[in-house]
Amino acid sequence: MSRNEITGRYLDEVAARGLGAYELADLALAADVLGPTSMEGKCLSRPVFLDRAELAELTGDLATVYAALAALPRRLFGGDLAAFARAVGMAEVQVGAVQRAARETPTRLARPDMYHDGTAFRLLEFNMGSTVGSLDSGLLNRLFLRHPVLAEFVESNNLTFVDPMAKMVDTLLAECGLDGADGVRFAAVTLPWVFPLLTAQLASSAGLLGELGVDVTPCHLGQLSVRDGRVWLGAAPVDVLYRIFQVEDLLDPAMHELADPILRAADRGEVTLFTPMDAELYGSKGALAMLSDEANRHLCTGAELASLDRVLPWTRMVRPGPVTVGAERVELLDYAEQARAELVLKPTLLHGGQGIVAGWVVDTETWRTAVKSALDGPYVLQHRVRPEPELFPTEHGLEPRVVKWAPFHGLEPYAGMNARGSTDVDAGVVNRERDAITAPCFHEAG
């Protein structure tokens, strides 16, 4: 279960040095700074590692998949963003929102979720936009490096890491057309009911951004106003809004009422929105279904097909009619029933594991009902990815964990990594509700 030689060397090293199972984690937690972060005061017992070849292939695949997603409106809808939005299952209120302040090319800020199946990284979803979380994960790398054993191992094996927060700032400034952050008023805006729950985490992130030269004020939509050709937070005009609310939130009429004036102001150029709402259109699972569909393969380049065939599992919108699986044409509903144990049902636009039904953990009738309810709705069926577990030190010895790899994409295709591990090796979905715990990632330099 050592996916690469670096991991094997690390496990041998800590065994030879007598490193306690949770020594690195205890050191990081003792700093008492992880609680208000996306890590919620939890971390795995060791880092995860990427060798040079893995990183090169991953970087190339991320760049290619991003380019293929960005090309979908032009290739399939003649550039009609509204038609694209309807095709992935957006309601009309969302269709209108994604057209506000949309740009010809979507944001480059993204965080795919992936498993490694023992052969290659496999893509589960390609989250895109300013709502992606865990940008503060570089903090854990720095805390782990305080331990001399890990610091020596990293140096002797020519390892390094990329700080996602720093790369996000580079993307933020570039996409907002800014040479720097001096004199620019930034506000991070979320929903009123969410704001009290995120106060500590938003303050922590604001502190990290401050260290990178970006002075950002957390707020919620109810605190903003539009007047005199500007967007205001209290008595101060705002230049850039860092958007933390999601397109799914606009289905709530009260939230749409609060957000719509802000989106219209961004469309008029009265404030810069980072990122525009169209990011979640390109990052929807419905967009992945379009890339997976064999009917669209002729529109892709050879390089795109090579990457897509390597990383993207079979994914289809839940629509009646025939689909191609391998070399066969089958009725989708028939296939969904007979292949239940190898399929997962996912909403196209929800986040954080919401609404997902894994066929292998429910009975036949529950699965049949879920698929029929999803028919012609904003849902996809996707082939199950079976992650290859990795070994982690525990007080009982080495034990397996499933790792969800979440590489960041920015101005550069690889902009750091968030990795989360779970003890539930058969769940098929790693998220915070399934005891996911963060691990820092180091990769071979050069």
Side-chain angles (χ1 to χ4, degrees):
M1 291 186 185
S2 294
R3 198 193 65 263
N4 54 37
E5 291 185 6
I6 300 172
T7 304
R9 288 199 299 268
Y10 175 80
L11 293 175
D12 290 343
E13 177 78 6
V14 298
R17 300 283 292 269
L19 189 69
Y22 296 115
E23 206 167 313
L24 290 175
D26 289 344
L27 176 67
L29 296 175
D32 200 28
V33 296
L34 295 181
T37 70
S38 67
M39 289 156 273
E40 299 176 339
K42 299 180 290 185
C43 56
L44 285 169
S45 60
R46 69 160 175 89
V48 294
F49 302 100
L50 291 172
D51 65 30
R52 193 174 293 107
E54 288 175 321
L55 181 62
E57 183 172 84
L58 178 62
T59 299
D61 287 338
L62 293 178
T64 303
V65 174
Y66 169 83
L69 287 168
L72 282 174
R74 172 178 53 83
R75 288 176 173 175
L76 295 181
F77 304 100
D80 187 339
L81 205 63
F84 181 23
R86 294 185 182 101
V88 305
M90 285 190 172
E92 286 304 308
V93 68
Q94 297 171 310
V95 173
V98 298
Q99 295 178 86
R100 306 285 184 199
R103 301 171 185 173
E104 186 174 344
T105 302
T107 179
R108 292 184 175 274
L109 179 60
R111 196 212 65 202
D113 289 341
M114 310 182 85
Y115 282 147
H116 198 286
D117 65 3
T119 301
F121 286 103
R122 303 278 283 164
L123 184 64
L124 306 176
E125 51 191 83
F126 203 96
N127 308 290
M128 194 178 292
S130 51
T131 58
V132 299
S134 304
L135 285 156
D136 53 7
S137 56
L139 176 62
L140 191 56
N141 292 76
R142 293 190 287 273
L143 291 175
F144 268 43
L145 282 172
R146 293 182 181 181
H147 197 289
V149 172
L150 180 63
E152 290 171 19
F153 183 82
V154 165
E155 182 177 6
S156 63
N157 286 272
N158 191 31
L159 302 177
T160 187
F161 75 97
V162 175
D163 184 351
M165 189 74 81
K167 293 299 182 181
M168 182 278 290
V169 168
D170 292 342
T171 306
L172 165 70
L173 297 178
E175 294 187 354
C176 292
L178 300 172
D179 293 329
D182 290 346
V184 180
R185 294 187 180 93
F186 296 87
V189 58
T190 187
L191 303 176
W193 69 269
V194 172
F195 186 67
L197 306 176
L198 293 183
T199 298
Q201 187 172 328
L202 290 171
S204 173
S205 295
L208 294 173
L209 287 168
E211 295 173 6
L212 295 168
V214 177
D215 185 8
V216 60
T217 303
C219 68
H220 63 74
L221 281 169
Q223 296 174 308
L224 297 173
S225 60
V226 180
R227 65 180 187 276
D228 303 326
R230 300 293 301 273
V231 172
W232 299 75
L233 176 57
V238 177
D239 300 305
V240 178
L241 282 175
Y242 191 105
R243 177 180 61 87
I244 310 176
F245 59 93
Q246 298 172 320
V247 72
E248 65 203 58
D249 299 318
L250 303 184
L251 295 176
D252 181 339
M255 295 304 102
H256 176 259
E257 185 177 350
L258 287 175
D260 190 58
I262 305 303
L263 299 180
R264 291 179 181 273
D267 203 38
R268 295 191 298 266
E270 296 170 358
V271 71
T272 299
L273 190 63
F274 184 82
T275 54
M277 300 297 295
D278 68 328
E280 291 169 75
L281 168 58
Y282 292 91
S284 73
K285 300 171 193 73
L288 291 183
M290 294 174 191
L291 293 185
S292 174
D293 195 332
E294 68 282 346
N296 301 326
R297 287 180 67 87
H298 67 285
L299 301 172
C300 297
T301 67
E304 286 171 341
L305 291 176
S307 284
L308 293 175
D309 289 345
R310 179 166 47 247
V311 304
L312 182 59
W314 183 95
T315 308
R316 294 293 185 277
M317 294 292 290
V318 185
R319 302 287 184 265
V323 293
T324 299
V325 182
E328 295 184 38
R329 292 286 283 176
V330 295
E331 284 294 321
L332 182 133
L333 289 180
D334 292 341
Y335 180 68
E337 184 150 347
Q338 71 183 35
R340 173 178 59 86
E342 297 301 324
L343 292 171
V344 57
L345 179 69
K346 299 181 177 182
T348 59
L349 295 164
L350 297 183
H351 299 81
Q354 297 178 71
I356 291 178
V357 181
W360 57 94
V361 298
V362 297
D363 60 40
T364 301
E365 189 56 38
T366 300
W367 175 252
R368 183 183 296 124
T369 300
V371 173
K372 287 186 176 179
S373 297
L375 196 62
D376 286 326
Y379 289 85
V380 299
L381 283 169
Q382 187 176 75
H383 274 174
R384 177 183 187 179
V385 178
R386 296 177 182 271
E388 181 75 19
E390 296 202 23
L391 294 175
F392 285 78
T394 74
E395 67 269 25
H396 306 297
L398 296 177
E399 295 186 356
R401 301 283 184 269
V402 165
V403 177
K404 184 192 75 176
W405 299 79
F408 289 94
H409 181 284
L411 295 184
E412 302 164 13
Y414 180 76
M417 178 73 75
N418 173 258
R420 288 184 179 269
S422 173
T423 58
D424 190 352
V425 297
D426 293 317
V429 179
V430 175
N431 56 40
R432 294 182 187 180
E433 286 69 41
R434 294 185 182 274
D435 79 331
I437 307 175
T438 303
C441 177
F442 293 90
H443 64 269
E444 275 190 299

